[in-house]
Amino acid sequence: MNNFTHKLYILTENDNKYLQLFNELSLPNIELTTNKAQATILLASPPKAAEQIEAFESLEWLQSIYAGVDTIVPKLNHSDVLLTNVKGIFGQQISEYVLGYLLQHYRDLNQYAIDQTQAKWHPRLYKPIKDQVMVILGTGSIGSYLAQVAKAFGIKTLGVNRSGIPTLNSPFDETFHVQELDSALVHANILVNTLPSTPETKHLLNQDKFNHCHDALLFNVGRGSVVCEKSLLEALDQGNIQHAFLDVFELEPLQKSHPFWQDKRITVTPHISALSQPESVIEIFAENYHRLTDGFHLLHEVDLEKGY
């Protein structure tokens, strides 16, 4: 990369915060621009970038502020733009979401809140989460972090990935190839999806796969397209899935007429299981900028053919 002054355009839901953090970095040979056509670097939310990407005629590198980049990848497939996302900063938040709802469910905490409003003293028996089996789709940074946290609660963790090979120092008790998913699902008390949206993962969790589950809890904190929503409703009716905790959906925001809203067997949250914290994102951006100008590979480069 030639040594010249790069021009950065910021396009996020929190531009003022990112602008403040960028100015505090004092990076060399880079300045802000409000001219899309002149920008060589774009720090952006993928959905916003996807709507305007044609205007960035000089773009060389797009740093996503999210892990998920499925909305922008199709727009870059035939370009030379380098796309990077953010990783390694969501594991803690995802784990808080999953374990929080898991404990609430297993310990009947929602019911005790209702009992309190009625001055009702009614202890209930409960099943400890120790020795439950959690199947995690995806053994990357998020899935691995969740597995570590789950193991601290005595939960057995089974990871599912594209290779079937455990990573070095894997936190999973067992690792399955995605083609062996059926064999993993028969053991699942808890099923967690952390996978991205790709052609290969679309409706990976369908009726055929749900049929291998029995009274399992489902968490979707990856991408909505991984779960076939029609099949999920059937799985709930048939008892394959006991309750679904859904933070992502095939179409967002979830339409007000969608049956998920009124189904007591489903917990709906508005894509908040892990939020991009600007302070963490800007650290990755700064490291990648130095790598860019020094001629090194960037962190978390996205393979546009694979989509992640």
Side-chain angles (χ1 to χ4, degrees):
M1 189 67 64
N2 294 327
N3 185 23
F4 71 102
T5 299
H6 280 285
K7 297 185 184 299
L8 170 68
Y9 195 100
I10 297 176
L11 185 62
T12 73
E13 293 82 4
N14 198 358
D15 286 354
N16 289 337
K17 183 62 177 180
Y18 279 104
L19 176 61
Q20 173 198 335
L21 293 170
F22 169 75
N23 287 331
E24 292 173 359
L25 291 173
S26 298
L27 294 173
N29 302 318
I30 184 172
E31 62 185 21
L32 288 165
T33 183
T34 57
N35 188 325
K36 297 181 179 71
Q38 293 182 358
T40 56
I41 298 173
L42 176 60
L43 177 64
S45 154
K48 285 183 171 290
E51 294 174 353
Q52 305 179 42
I53 196 65
E54 291 82 5
F56 293 89
E57 303 171 0
S58 305
L59 192 62
E60 298 178 18
W61 166 40
L62 194 165
Q63 172 67 64
S64 166
I65 65 170
Y66 301 151
V69 291
D70 47 292
T71 53
I72 189 62
V73 165
K75 303 282 188 175
L76 299 177
N77 262 333
H78 302 292
S79 76
D80 295 323
V81 174
L82 185 62
L83 174 64
T84 55
N85 64 357
V86 288
K87 294 181 179 178
I89 63 175
F90 301 117
Q92 171 76 28
Q93 296 181 64
I94 293 289
S95 298
E96 290 174 0
Y97 179 93
V98 173
L99 269 297
Y101 273 118
L102 199 58
L103 290 169
Q104 180 189 75
H105 181 86
Y106 271 78
R107 299 298 296 264
D108 289 322
L109 300 184
N110 275 341
Q111 188 58 52
Y112 288 121
I114 295 172
D115 289 351
Q116 181 177 345
T117 64
Q118 302 170 1
K120 187 177 182 180
W121 185 279
H122 182 58
R124 293 173 177 80
L125 294 176
Y126 59 86
K127 179 189 293 185
I129 62 174
K130 183 178 183 294
D131 297 326
Q132 297 296 287
V133 177
M134 178 183 288
V135 174
I136 302 175
L137 305 187
T139 61
S141 60
I142 291 174
S144 294
Y145 195 106
L146 174 59
Q148 287 181 314
V149 174
K151 288 184 73 172
F153 284 85
I155 297 171
K156 181 179 180 180
T157 57
L158 310 182
V160 179
N161 61 25
R162 295 195 310 151
S163 69
I165 301 172
T167 57
L168 185 65
N169 300 319
S170 171
F172 294 94
D173 293 293
E174 295 181 55
T175 302
F176 291 75
H177 191 285
V178 68
Q179 293 181 356
E180 303 172 306
L181 178 56
D182 295 354
S183 299
L185 291 178
V186 297
H187 301 290
N189 303 115
I190 306 150
L191 172 59
V192 184
N193 173 57
T194 72
L195 293 173
S197 176
T198 70
E200 290 74 24
T201 63
K202 182 176 176 61
H203 289 181
L204 177 63
L205 292 178
N206 52 38
Q207 189 60 53
D208 177 63
K209 299 305 178 188
F210 285 135
N211 283 341
H212 291 86
C213 298
H214 176 68
D215 203 34
L217 300 179
L218 170 67
F219 288 84
N220 192 4
V221 291
R223 279 296 177 264
S225 62
V226 178
V227 174
C228 176
E229 295 181 351
K230 179 181 178 182
S231 295
L232 173 56
L233 290 171
E234 294 173 356
L236 287 162
D237 290 339
Q238 295 172 10
N240 302 111
I241 299 298
Q242 176 191 155
H243 193 98
F245 300 87
L246 307 177
D247 189 53
V248 289
F249 306 88
E250 294 195 69
L251 179 63
E252 296 181 8
L254 194 64
Q255 294 180 333
K256 291 184 177 181
S257 60
H258 200 290
F260 283 179
W261 286 113
Q262 306 302 325
D263 197 319
K264 293 182 178 179
R265 303 165 300 178
I266 296 175
T267 297
V268 171
T269 55
H271 206 142
I272 48 75
S273 58
L275 301 177
S276 292
Q277 303 296 335
E279 292 80 4
S280 299
V281 173
I282 208 71
E283 288 182 10
I284 294 174
F285 172 80
E287 172 63 23
N288 269 343
Y289 177 74
H290 287 302
R291 287 170 175 257
L292 182 77
T293 55
D294 291 340
F296 295 118
H297 284 295
L298 275 59
L299 298 175
H300 318 314
E301 292 187 23
V302 174
D303 184 323
L304 295 179
E305 291 188 3
K306 293 181 179 178
Y308 62 92

